[in-house]
Amino acid sequence: MPAEIGTVLVTRRFGDEENKQITSYEANGGYKIARAAMAKSPEEIVDQIKASNLRGRGGAGFPTGLKWSFVPKDATDVHLVVNCDESEPGTCKDRELVYWDPHLLIEGMIIAAHTLGAVHNYIYIRGEMMREYAVLVKAVEEAYARGYLGDKIMGMGNQACHITVHRGAGAYICGEETALLNSLEGLRGQPRLKPPFPAIKGLFGKPTVVNNVETLMNIPFIVDQGGQWFADLGVGRSGGTRTVCVSGHVEKPGVYELPMTITFRELIDDICGGVWKGRKFKGLIPGGTSMPPLDESEIDVPVEFDALMTDERIKPVEVTAGVNFDMGGGRELRTMAGSGGIVVFDDQTDVVALTSRIMGFYHHESCGQCTPCREGTGWMDKICKRLMNGEGKVGDVDLLGNIANGIAGNTICALGEAAAWPMMGFLTKFRSEFLAKEVIGKSEDGEGEAA
Ligand SMILES: Cc1cc2nc3c(=O)[nH]c(=O)nc-3n(C[C@H](O)[C@H](O)[C@H](O)COP(=O)(O)O)c2cc1C
Ligand code: SF4
């Protein structure tokens, strides 16, 4: 049976200061699943995770069981790293998850570490999240004191599991897994070329699995109740529930754990109290600002991973006449579930100003290693700003499309796409608003100038 509204796993302790303490966590069965998992073989657990259809909640939706199986079986010195950087604009679920249920994350990590044979493990948390950092440090200390972490965990002579909580300095790019690993190693937070992938050569050159906070918090439920149970909660190839964070122009913004089957329209109207101030809906960003937007005609699609990429009701992105961007696997770019950061905007929103704000962010956060991203994000930022300020030139709209097209697929990491995809999406779905600004800004003779 697919989950219904009100079925909650990872957010079940939200709002309860008492229940997030270790005594209360234990009293409600906490750490029993990790203890039971110690008796299971890694193969058995990986099989359950694969059967569960758990997909990474960090952005790409990659199958977690498959990712774990990439670590070579005879590997030594494996590391597990939790990505708690949560830097994607519009995304604020991981900080809440960590704050309200730190022991669920630690329990998920212990099970994952046992499965991967990982001894020295890390939680990389965004520097600004001081409140959550303090909660995590306390929870890790409590887990050490109770013997859930240490050299011989749970009284077992052959099992060691250590966790270090490490604060980043607050750079968007350090959420990208290889930049994160560089930052953990004390290097400049810049992405590495792949391959080799972290599962083969990651932290300190050793096989490493990087997983998002929410991904790992689902692990105890799967190990306890079985992969099939978790798969059945979801739909198709997406198991379990989805935690989304809704912001922008709705009456009730917030972090919500929901069935995969709920549509964006239901989410806005039934969960978030509708568009604010009695205004009309104009569009939304479905999974952090790096994802192409949806307009009013496209929001009867479920929040599930595959629907966002393949549903025929979502228009494929067309950048300039005759140019379609292919996101791989032969699919034209529609959009993706991404980080779960849903940003709703009403009918009074200036889409060009919104896009300009987004491009400014990616320009600022580009690490500068690759020319298409370093220069292209800067050009898109500059052109969007001049359009927004009424100084646009004839040809600017096509120019933006061509620049975005030149970035996507031509960079070391996906920050390039994170800037190019929304640019293409906004240009396609709200093209007339960009063209209107181009006309307003053209020179008096109507010719305009080159960029
Ligand atoms: C520019 C950029 C920023 C990212 N930021 C985050 C982030 O803040 N948190 C996160 O979990 N994943 C982030 N990711 C995705 C990670 O690289 C990685 O895929 C993810 O942590 C894997 O975990 P999962 O398989 O559990 O989703 C980012 C990716 C890119 C390209
Ligand atoms: S795509 Fe951008 S952020 Fe990523 S490595 Fe290249 S320059 Fe750096």
Side-chain angles (χ1 to χ4, degrees):
M1 275 286 287
E4 294 174 354
I5 290 173
T7 306
V8 286
L9 306 177
V10 294
T11 62
R12 59 174 55 181
R13 292 189 180 82
F14 270 31
D16 191 337
E17 288 286 352
E18 176 64 27
N19 258 332
K20 65 192 248 210
Q21 310 299 331
I22 193 163
T23 43
S24 164
Y25 188 77
E26 285 173 320
N28 289 307
Y31 289 108
K32 286 204 178 103
I33 304 168
R35 193 181 291 280
M38 296 299 133
K40 297 184 182 180
S41 71
E43 292 76 17
E44 197 182 334
I45 298 176
V46 168
D47 284 348
Q48 287 299 317
I49 306 301
K50 280 186 178 166
S52 76
N53 285 341
L54 174 65
R55 294 171 72 165
R57 306 301 203 236
F62 194 81
T64 307
L66 188 60
K67 184 188 264 192
W68 290 12
S69 69
F70 291 153
V71 174
K73 294 221 168 3
D74 55 354
T76 53
D77 289 343
V78 178
H79 298 292
L80 170 69
V81 177
V82 179
N83 191 339
C84 187
D85 192 60
E86 189 156 72
S87 41
E88 178 74 14
T91 317
C92 55
K93 65 181 175 68
D94 293 340
R95 68 193 66 187
E96 293 300 313
L97 290 168
V98 156
Y99 180 78
W100 291 112
D101 213 347
H103 289 289
L104 182 61
L105 175 62
I106 295 171
E107 186 159 14
M109 286 183 74
I110 293 169
I111 298 168
H114 162 71
T115 310
L116 299 165
V119 174
H120 293 284
N121 309 301
Y122 299 83
I123 303 173
Y124 184 95
I125 183 165
R126 165 161 283 265
E128 291 95 321
M129 295 191 207
M130 276 310 294
R131 182 185 79 144
E132 293 74 16
Y133 172 73
V135 166
L136 273 176
V137 168
K138 177 171 175 274
V140 166
E141 283 170 1
E142 286 172 341
Y144 269 104
R146 303 281 178 127
Y148 300 126
L149 295 174
D151 284 330
K152 296 172 185 171
I153 63 168
M154 321 238 182
M156 300 176 76
N158 59 347
Q159 290 272 345
C161 182
H162 294 277
I163 294 180
T164 301
V165 187
H166 181 95
R167 287 178 64 216
Y172 172 63
I173 195 56
C174 289
E176 194 280 336
E177 58 183 8
T178 59
L180 185 157
L181 296 178
N182 268 1
S183 172
L184 253 184
E185 287 184 20
L187 305 171
R188 199 167 182 174
Q190 289 185 317
R192 302 173 182 175
L193 270 176
K194 292 190 272 192
F197 290 93
I200 305 298
K201 192 176 176 198
L203 188 63
F204 304 116
K206 301 295 179 187
T208 302
V209 166
V210 181
N211 270 138
N212 171 261
V213 168
E214 186 191 347
T215 310
L216 286 165
M217 285 172 91
N218 276 299
I219 299 296
F221 297 102
I222 297 168
V223 171
D224 187 36
Q225 307 211 46
Q228 192 58 50
W229 167 84
F230 192 84
D232 289 345
L233 280 183
V235 61
R237 297 187 309 154
S238 306
T241 55
R242 268 222 83 189
T243 307
V244 296
C245 9
V246 187
S247 62
H249 301 162
V250 290
E251 290 290 351
K252 289 191 281 179
V255 178
Y256 302 102
E257 186 175 359
L258 299 165
M260 291 278 181
T261 48
I262 194 169
T263 67
F264 286 95
R265 195 183 299 279
E266 289 164 345
L267 170 61
I268 293 166
D269 292 344
D270 304 343
I271 308 286
C272 299
V275 177
W276 73 350
K277 301 180 183 176
R279 292 187 194 160
K280 290 207 171 65
F281 175 88
K282 184 171 200 174
L284 63 76
I285 293 164
T289 54
S290 55
M291 295 302 151
L294 301 179
D295 65 24
E296 217 277 329
S297 67
E298 301 171 306
I299 57 172
D300 292 305
V301 170
V303 299
E304 184 264 331
F305 292 92
D306 287 336
L308 279 155
M309 290 196 275
T310 57
D311 196 294
E312 295 296 322
R313 286 168 292 186
I314 302 179
K315 298 188 239 358
V317 164
E318 189 169 332
V319 186
T320 48
V323 181
N324 271 330
F325 183 71
D326 185 335
M327 68 186 292
R331 291 179 308 237
E332 289 160 329
L333 178 63
R334 293 179 193 270
T335 191
M336 283 172 78
S339 64
I342 297 171
V343 186
V344 177
F345 46 98
D346 70 22
D347 57 345
Q348 296 190 18
T349 305
D350 178 342
V351 168
V352 178
L354 170 61
T355 312
S356 173
R357 180 72 188 87
I358 294 171
M359 292 307 130
F361 173 80
Y362 291 112
H363 176 207
H364 184 262
E365 297 298 324
S366 168
C367 85
Q369 280 190 108
C370 347
T371 309
C373 172
R374 183 186 63 241
E375 303 300 331
T377 54
W379 295 337
M380 293 196 300
D381 181 19
K382 181 176 158 191
I383 297 168
C384 281
K385 277 205 176 75
R386 74 177 179 225
L387 282 169
M388 177 180 76
N389 294 331
E391 295 158 1
K393 300 178 185 183
V394 170
D396 271 356
V397 175
D398 282 347
L399 188 55
L400 279 172
N402 283 330
I403 295 169
N405 226 29
I407 297 173
N410 295 319
T411 57
I412 293 173
C413 88
L415 189 143
E417 279 86 15
W421 287 358
M423 188 71 249
M424 295 167 172
F426 279 107
L427 278 182
T428 302
K429 296 180 184 177
F430 300 94
R431 192 173 189 81
S432 59
E433 294 196 30
F434 284 87
L435 286 171
K437 301 263 186 191
E438 194 180 68
V439 172
I440 290 168
K442 74 180 179 184
S443 56
E444 274 181 11
D445 61 4
E447 293 294 323
E449 296 169 36

